[in-house]
Amino acid sequence: MRQMIIRRLLQTIPLLFFVSIVCFAMIKLAPGDPVLSFVTPNMHADDIERIRHNLGLDRPAYIQYLLWLKQLLQGDLGYSLVNHQPVLGQIIDRLPATAGLMGSAILIAVLLAIPLGLIAGANRNRWIDKIINLIAYIGISVPLFWLAILLIYIFAIKLSLLPSMGMRTIGEESIGDVLRHGILPCSVLAFGFLAGYVRYIRSSTIGQLKEDYVQIQYAFGSNKWTILFRHVIKHVLLPIITLLGMSMGDLVAGAIVTETVFSWPGIGSLGMTAVRGMDYPIIMGITLFSSLLLILGNLAADILYAIVDPRMKVKG
Protein backbone atom coordinates (compact mmCIF):
# COMPACT_ATOMS: atom_id res chain seq x y z
CA MET A 1 0.00 0.00 0.00
CA ARG A 2 2.88 2.35 0.74
CA GLN A 3 4.15 2.02 -2.82
CA MET A 4 0.68 2.71 -4.15
CA ILE A 5 0.38 5.89 -2.08
CA ILE A 6 3.79 7.13 -3.22
CA ARG A 7 2.99 6.33 -6.84
CA ARG A 8 -0.36 8.09 -6.71
CA LEU A 9 1.17 11.18 -5.09
CA LEU A 10 3.85 11.33 -7.79
CA GLN A 11 1.15 11.07 -10.45
CA THR A 12 -0.46 14.12 -8.90
CA ILE A 13 2.37 16.41 -10.08
CA PRO A 14 1.91 16.05 -13.87
CA LEU A 15 -1.87 16.05 -13.42
CA LEU A 16 -1.85 19.37 -11.56
CA PHE A 17 0.54 20.76 -14.18
CA PHE A 18 -1.91 19.83 -16.94
CA VAL A 19 -4.83 21.30 -14.98
CA SER A 20 -2.92 24.57 -14.51
CA ILE A 21 -2.25 24.87 -18.26
CA VAL A 22 -5.89 24.26 -19.18
CA CYS A 23 -7.16 26.64 -16.50
CA PHE A 24 -4.75 29.42 -17.49
CA ALA A 25 -5.65 29.04 -21.18
CA MET A 26 -9.37 29.22 -20.41
CA ILE A 27 -8.87 32.37 -18.32
CA LYS A 28 -6.97 34.08 -21.13
CA LEU A 29 -9.53 33.05 -23.74
CA ALA A 30 -12.46 34.25 -21.63
CA PRO A 31 -13.82 37.77 -22.25
CA GLY A 32 -12.95 40.41 -19.70
CA ASP A 33 -9.98 42.39 -18.45
CA PRO A 34 -8.79 42.64 -14.81
CA VAL A 35 -7.52 46.15 -15.53
CA LEU A 36 -11.14 47.33 -15.77
CA SER A 37 -11.35 46.98 -11.98
CA PHE A 38 -9.02 49.99 -11.67
CA VAL A 39 -10.36 52.12 -14.52
CA THR A 40 -12.32 55.28 -13.73
CA PRO A 41 -14.37 57.27 -16.26
CA ASN A 42 -11.82 60.11 -16.47
CA MET A 43 -8.69 57.95 -16.52
CA HIS A 44 -6.26 58.61 -19.37
CA ALA A 45 -5.26 55.81 -21.74
CA ASP A 46 -1.61 56.14 -20.68
CA ASP A 47 -2.60 55.55 -17.07
CA ILE A 48 -4.54 52.44 -18.05
CA GLU A 49 -1.52 51.07 -19.91
CA ARG A 50 0.70 51.88 -16.92
CA ILE A 51 -1.60 49.81 -14.68
CA ARG A 52 -1.53 46.98 -17.21
CA HIS A 53 2.28 47.10 -17.23
CA ASN A 54 2.53 47.13 -13.43
CA LEU A 55 0.29 44.05 -13.24
CA GLY A 56 2.38 42.27 -15.87
CA LEU A 57 -0.60 41.90 -18.18
CA ASP A 58 1.13 43.52 -21.16
CA ARG A 59 3.36 40.48 -21.61
CA PRO A 60 2.51 37.47 -23.81
CA ALA A 61 0.24 34.89 -22.18
CA TYR A 62 2.90 32.17 -22.12
CA ILE A 63 5.33 34.51 -20.33
CA GLN A 64 2.68 35.29 -17.72
CA TYR A 65 2.10 31.55 -17.20
CA LEU A 66 5.82 30.78 -16.89
CA LEU A 67 6.26 33.57 -14.33
CA TRP A 68 3.28 32.25 -12.37
CA LEU A 69 4.66 28.69 -12.57
CA LYS A 70 8.05 29.89 -11.32
CA GLN A 71 6.38 31.44 -8.28
CA LEU A 72 4.37 28.26 -7.70
CA LEU A 73 7.51 26.10 -7.69
CA GLN A 74 8.87 28.41 -4.99
CA GLY A 75 5.76 27.80 -2.88
CA ASP A 76 4.19 31.14 -3.74
CA LEU A 77 0.76 31.39 -5.41
CA GLY A 78 1.32 35.06 -6.14
CA TYR A 79 -0.77 38.10 -5.30
CA SER A 80 -4.31 39.05 -6.22
CA LEU A 81 -4.56 41.49 -9.11
CA VAL A 82 -7.49 43.26 -7.45
CA ASN A 83 -6.71 43.54 -3.73
CA HIS A 84 -2.94 42.82 -3.91
CA GLN A 85 -3.16 40.34 -1.03
CA PRO A 86 -1.28 36.98 -1.07
CA VAL A 87 -3.41 34.32 -2.76
CA LEU A 88 -2.30 31.57 -0.39
CA GLY A 89 -3.17 33.67 2.64
CA GLN A 90 -6.67 34.39 1.32
CA ILE A 91 -7.31 30.70 0.62
CA ILE A 92 -6.07 29.68 4.08
CA ASP A 93 -8.21 32.37 5.75
CA ARG A 94 -11.35 31.10 4.03
CA LEU A 95 -10.54 27.40 4.23
CA PRO A 96 -12.13 26.78 7.68
CA ALA A 97 -15.49 28.16 6.52
CA THR A 98 -15.51 25.97 3.41
CA ALA A 99 -14.21 22.89 5.22
CA GLY A 100 -16.84 23.26 7.92
CA LEU A 101 -19.64 23.62 5.38
CA MET A 102 -18.49 20.72 3.20
CA GLY A 103 -17.69 18.42 6.11
CA SER A 104 -21.02 19.03 7.82
CA ALA A 105 -22.94 18.53 4.59
CA ILE A 106 -21.26 15.21 3.80
CA LEU A 107 -21.66 13.97 7.37
CA ILE A 108 -25.37 14.82 7.44
CA ALA A 109 -25.92 13.32 3.98
CA VAL A 110 -24.25 10.01 4.88
CA LEU A 111 -25.86 9.68 8.32
CA LEU A 112 -29.33 10.22 6.84
CA ALA A 113 -28.77 8.29 3.62
CA ILE A 114 -27.71 5.03 5.29
CA PRO A 115 -30.92 4.36 7.29
CA LEU A 116 -33.17 5.82 4.58
CA GLY A 117 -31.55 3.74 1.86
CA LEU A 118 -31.66 0.56 3.97
CA ILE A 119 -35.33 1.07 4.87
CA ALA A 120 -36.27 1.83 1.26
CA GLY A 121 -34.45 -1.24 -0.02
CA ALA A 122 -35.95 -3.51 2.62
CA ASN A 123 -39.47 -2.26 1.80
CA ARG A 124 -39.20 -2.28 -1.97
CA ASN A 125 -42.28 -0.94 -3.80
CA ARG A 126 -44.13 -0.26 -0.52
CA TRP A 127 -45.43 3.15 0.50
CA ILE A 128 -42.36 4.08 2.56
CA ASP A 129 -40.09 3.15 -0.34
CA LYS A 130 -42.13 5.34 -2.68
CA ILE A 131 -41.95 8.31 -0.30
CA ILE A 132 -38.18 7.99 0.11
CA ASN A 133 -37.77 7.56 -3.64
CA LEU A 134 -39.85 10.68 -4.26
CA ILE A 135 -37.61 12.70 -1.93
CA ALA A 136 -34.53 11.29 -3.66
CA TYR A 137 -35.84 12.15 -7.13
CA ILE A 138 -36.61 15.69 -5.99
CA GLY A 139 -33.07 16.03 -4.61
CA ILE A 140 -31.56 14.80 -7.86
CA SER A 141 -33.72 17.03 -10.06
CA VAL A 142 -33.79 20.34 -8.18
CA PRO A 143 -30.85 22.73 -8.85
CA LEU A 144 -28.99 23.78 -5.72
CA PHE A 145 -29.34 27.50 -6.37
CA TRP A 146 -33.13 27.19 -6.77
CA LEU A 147 -33.43 25.18 -3.57
CA ALA A 148 -31.27 27.73 -1.76
CA ILE A 149 -33.48 30.62 -2.91
CA LEU A 150 -36.61 28.69 -1.91
CA LEU A 151 -35.31 28.00 1.60
CA ILE A 152 -34.26 31.63 2.01
CA TYR A 153 -37.75 32.76 0.99
CA ILE A 154 -39.48 30.36 3.41
CA PHE A 155 -37.25 30.31 6.49
CA ALA A 156 -35.58 33.73 6.33
CA ILE A 157 -38.14 36.03 4.70
CA LYS A 158 -41.53 34.54 5.47
CA LEU A 159 -40.92 32.82 8.83
CA SER A 160 -37.90 34.89 9.99
CA LEU A 161 -36.47 31.81 11.69
CA LEU A 162 -32.98 31.69 10.21
CA PRO A 163 -30.49 34.20 8.78
CA SER A 164 -30.28 34.30 5.00
CA MET A 165 -26.66 35.27 4.43
CA GLY A 166 -23.22 35.47 5.97
CA MET A 167 -21.56 33.37 8.63
CA ARG A 168 -21.95 35.61 11.68
CA THR A 169 -24.21 38.34 12.99
CA ILE A 170 -22.40 41.63 13.46
CA GLY A 171 -21.33 41.91 17.07
CA GLU A 172 -22.12 38.25 17.82
CA GLU A 173 -19.22 35.81 18.35
CA SER A 174 -20.97 32.73 19.74
CA ILE A 175 -20.78 29.27 18.19
CA GLY A 176 -24.57 29.09 18.26
CA ASP A 177 -24.77 32.08 15.94
CA VAL A 178 -22.44 30.37 13.44
CA LEU A 179 -24.54 27.22 13.62
CA ARG A 180 -27.74 29.19 12.94
CA HIS A 181 -26.15 30.80 9.89
CA GLY A 182 -24.92 27.41 8.69
CA ILE A 183 -28.25 25.57 8.84
CA LEU A 184 -29.59 26.72 5.46
CA PRO A 185 -26.40 26.44 3.35
CA CYS A 186 -25.50 23.11 4.95
CA SER A 187 -29.01 21.75 4.35
CA VAL A 188 -28.95 22.79 0.70
CA LEU A 189 -25.53 21.24 0.07
CA ALA A 190 -26.37 18.05 1.96
CA PHE A 191 -29.72 17.52 0.24
CA GLY A 192 -28.21 17.06 -3.21
CA PHE A 193 -25.79 14.39 -2.01
CA LEU A 194 -28.37 12.76 0.24
CA ALA A 195 -30.56 11.99 -2.78
CA GLY A 196 -27.77 10.27 -4.71
CA TYR A 197 -26.54 8.27 -1.72
CA VAL A 198 -30.07 7.08 -0.86
CA ARG A 199 -30.60 5.74 -4.36
CA TYR A 200 -27.24 4.00 -4.31
CA ILE A 201 -27.76 2.42 -0.87
CA ARG A 202 -31.29 1.34 -1.77
CA SER A 203 -30.04 -0.44 -4.88
CA SER A 204 -27.22 -2.15 -2.95
CA THR A 205 -29.63 -3.21 -0.19
CA ILE A 206 -32.01 -4.84 -2.66
CA GLY A 207 -29.12 -6.81 -4.10
CA GLN A 208 -27.75 -7.85 -0.71
CA LEU A 209 -31.14 -9.10 0.52
CA LYS A 210 -31.02 -11.74 -2.23
CA GLU A 211 -27.71 -13.18 -0.98
CA ASP A 212 -27.45 -16.55 0.77
CA TYR A 213 -26.13 -15.14 4.05
CA VAL A 214 -29.42 -13.28 4.55
CA GLN A 215 -31.42 -16.50 4.25
CA ILE A 216 -29.04 -18.18 6.68
CA GLN A 217 -29.63 -15.42 9.22
CA TYR A 218 -33.39 -15.85 8.84
CA ALA A 219 -32.91 -19.58 9.45
CA PHE A 220 -31.04 -18.77 12.69
CA GLY A 221 -34.06 -16.77 13.87
CA SER A 222 -32.81 -13.21 13.23
CA ASN A 223 -35.48 -10.63 12.43
CA LYS A 224 -35.44 -8.29 9.44
CA TRP A 225 -34.11 -5.25 11.26
CA THR A 226 -31.28 -7.15 12.91
CA ILE A 227 -30.20 -8.56 9.55
CA LEU A 228 -30.53 -5.15 7.94
CA PHE A 229 -28.59 -3.04 10.44
CA ARG A 230 -26.08 -5.66 11.59
CA HIS A 231 -25.20 -7.68 8.48
CA VAL A 232 -26.45 -5.99 5.30
CA ILE A 233 -25.11 -2.60 6.33
CA LYS A 234 -21.54 -3.92 6.36
CA HIS A 235 -21.72 -4.82 2.69
CA VAL A 236 -23.62 -1.69 1.71
CA LEU A 237 -21.08 0.69 3.28
CA LEU A 238 -18.15 -0.53 1.18
CA PRO A 239 -19.31 1.04 -2.10
CA ILE A 240 -20.23 4.23 -0.22
CA ILE A 241 -16.54 4.80 0.55
CA THR A 242 -15.75 4.82 -3.16
CA LEU A 243 -18.80 6.98 -3.85
CA LEU A 244 -17.58 9.56 -1.34
CA GLY A 245 -14.24 9.82 -3.11
CA MET A 246 -15.91 10.18 -6.50
CA SER A 247 -18.27 12.90 -5.25
CA MET A 248 -15.52 15.27 -4.09
CA GLY A 249 -15.64 17.19 -7.36
CA ASP A 250 -19.40 17.64 -7.12
CA LEU A 251 -18.99 18.66 -3.49
CA VAL A 252 -16.57 21.45 -4.40
CA ALA A 253 -18.83 22.65 -7.23
CA GLY A 254 -21.87 22.55 -4.95
CA ALA A 255 -20.01 24.47 -2.26
CA ILE A 256 -19.19 27.23 -4.75
CA VAL A 257 -22.86 27.65 -5.70
CA THR A 258 -24.07 27.43 -2.09
CA GLU A 259 -21.51 29.87 -0.74
CA THR A 260 -22.34 32.36 -3.47
CA VAL A 261 -26.08 32.30 -2.83
CA PHE A 262 -25.74 32.53 0.97
CA SER A 263 -22.72 34.90 0.94
CA TRP A 264 -20.85 32.30 2.98
CA PRO A 265 -17.26 33.60 3.40
CA GLY A 266 -15.52 30.52 2.02
CA ILE A 267 -13.28 29.64 -0.89
CA GLY A 268 -16.25 29.31 -3.24
CA SER A 269 -17.41 32.90 -2.81
CA LEU A 270 -13.78 34.04 -3.09
CA GLY A 271 -13.53 32.20 -6.40
CA MET A 272 -16.73 33.76 -7.78
CA THR A 273 -15.47 37.22 -6.87
CA ALA A 274 -12.18 36.45 -8.61
CA VAL A 275 -13.99 35.25 -11.75
CA ARG A 276 -16.01 38.46 -11.95
CA GLY A 277 -12.79 40.50 -11.67
CA MET A 278 -10.72 38.17 -13.93
CA ASP A 279 -8.29 37.84 -11.02
CA TYR A 280 -6.35 34.93 -12.50
CA PRO A 281 -3.87 34.31 -9.63
CA ILE A 282 -6.78 33.59 -7.25
CA ILE A 283 -8.63 31.54 -9.88
CA MET A 284 -5.50 29.46 -10.50
CA GLY A 285 -4.89 28.96 -6.79
CA ILE A 286 -8.45 27.83 -6.09
CA THR A 287 -8.47 25.55 -9.14
CA LEU A 288 -5.27 23.81 -8.06
CA PHE A 289 -6.55 23.51 -4.50
CA SER A 290 -9.82 21.98 -5.70
CA SER A 291 -8.00 19.57 -8.02
CA LEU A 292 -5.68 18.50 -5.22
CA LEU A 293 -8.66 17.97 -2.92
CA LEU A 294 -10.33 15.76 -5.52
CA ILE A 295 -7.18 13.68 -6.05
CA LEU A 296 -6.54 13.24 -2.33
CA GLY A 297 -10.22 12.40 -1.77
CA ASN A 298 -10.05 9.55 -4.25
CA LEU A 299 -6.77 8.35 -2.77
CA ALA A 300 -8.24 8.38 0.75
CA ALA A 301 -11.27 6.45 -0.50
CA ASP A 302 -9.04 3.74 -1.98
CA ILE A 303 -7.05 3.47 1.24
CA LEU A 304 -10.17 3.28 3.41
CA TYR A 305 -11.64 0.65 1.09
CA ALA A 306 -8.57 -1.52 1.56
CA ILE A 307 -8.61 -1.03 5.35
CA VAL A 308 -12.31 -1.82 5.72
CA ASP A 309 -12.12 -4.85 3.42
CA PRO A 310 -8.63 -6.43 3.58
CA ARG A 311 -9.63 -8.86 0.84
CA MET A 312 -9.39 -6.00 -1.63
CA LYS A 313 -5.95 -5.27 -3.00
CA VAL A 314 -5.41 -1.61 -3.76
CA LYS A 315 -3.95 -0.99 -7.18
CA GLY A 316 -2.50 2.30 -8.32
Side-chain angles (χ1 to χ4, degrees):
M1 182 181 292
R2 181 180 300 175
Q3 294 180 351
M4 182 276 296
I5 296 175
I6 295 175
R7 183 166 60 251
R8 293 279 291 273
L9 291 176
L10 291 177
Q11 292 173 353
T12 300
I13 298 175
L15 182 57
L16 291 178
F17 176 70
F18 175 76
V19 168
S20 69
I21 294 178
V22 174
C23 180
F24 194 87
M26 292 179 65
I27 294 172
K28 291 304 177 182
L29 292 174
D33 188 352
V35 176
L36 296 178
S37 302
F38 304 93
V39 174
T40 60
N42 299 323
M43 185 173 290
H44 195 272
D46 293 338
D47 296 326
I48 296 176
E49 289 304 315
R50 188 178 301 108
I51 294 174
R52 190 182 306 277
H53 175 74
N54 292 335
L55 294 176
L57 299 176
D58 57 340
R59 300 179 181 182
Y62 73 92
I63 296 295
Q64 296 179 41
Y65 174 77
L66 291 176
L67 291 174
W68 175 85
L69 183 61
K70 179 181 177 181
Q71 288 182 321
L72 178 64
L73 294 177
Q74 296 173 350
D76 184 8
L77 291 176
Y79 289 81
S80 166
L81 297 179
V82 177
N83 58 30
H84 308 294
Q85 298 297 317
V87 173
L88 182 60
Q90 294 184 68
I91 293 177
I92 292 176
D93 288 342
R94 292 176 177 253
L95 181 59
T98 297
L101 180 62
M102 292 170 57
S104 300
I106 282 292
L107 181 62
I108 292 172
V110 171
L111 291 180
L112 291 178
I114 291 174
L116 289 176
L118 288 171
I119 293 172
N123 296 275
R124 185 182 183 184
N125 295 329
R126 297 180 181 177
W127 66 270
I128 189 170
D129 178 36
K130 294 179 180 180
I131 293 176
I132 295 175
N133 265 326
L134 176 61
I135 297 174
Y137 284 132
I138 293 174
I140 294 172
S141 305
V142 173
L144 287 182
F145 72 89
W146 187 89
L147 178 61
I149 295 173
L150 178 64
L151 293 185
I152 289 175
Y153 178 76
I154 294 174
F155 293 99
I157 298 177
K158 284 296 183 180
L159 301 179
S160 300
L161 294 176
L162 296 170
S164 62
M165 61 186 297
M167 187 176 172
R168 294 180 183 276
T169 302
I170 297 177
E172 183 70 44
E173 299 294 334
S174 65
I175 297 178
D177 182 62
V178 176
L179 294 177
R180 288 185 68 251
H181 279 79
I183 290 176
L184 289 183
C186 186
S187 299
V188 169
L189 189 57
F191 188 61
F193 292 94
L194 171 65
Y197 293 161
V198 166
R199 294 289 300 164
Y200 199 89
I201 295 174
R202 175 187 180 274
S203 178
S204 298
T205 301
I206 292 173
Q208 289 296 321
L209 290 175
K210 299 177 182 178
E211 297 293 332
D212 293 338
Y213 73 88
V214 174
Q215 304 305 320
I216 293 174
Q217 291 299 323
Y218 276 125
F220 285 153
S222 299
N223 59 46
K224 181 176 70 174
W225 300 112
T226 301
I227 295 173
L228 201 62
F229 287 96
R230 181 174 296 180
H231 301 284
V232 173
I233 192 174
K234 297 178 182 178
H235 299 274
V236 170
L237 287 181
L238 286 176
I240 290 298
I241 296 175
T242 303
L243 191 63
L244 284 172
M246 294 174 60
S247 63
M248 290 303 298
D250 293 332
L251 179 62
V252 173
I256 292 175
V257 175
T258 306
E259 289 182 3
T260 302
V261 175
F262 288 99
S263 299
W264 189 262
I267 295 176
S269 57
L270 174 66
M272 291 302 297
T273 303
V275 169
R276 287 192 290 267
M278 294 298 294
D279 195 347
Y280 81 84
I282 291 183
I283 299 174
M284 294 291 291
I286 293 177
T287 301
L288 289 183
F289 173 79
S290 302
S291 302
L292 182 62
L293 180 63
L294 177 60
I295 294 170
L296 295 180
N298 281 276
L299 176 59
D302 290 341
I303 295 173
L304 288 174
Y305 203 103
I307 293 175
V308 173
D309 190 356
R311 297 172 299 175
M312 299 290 180
K313 292 183 179 180
V314 181
K315 296 180 181 181

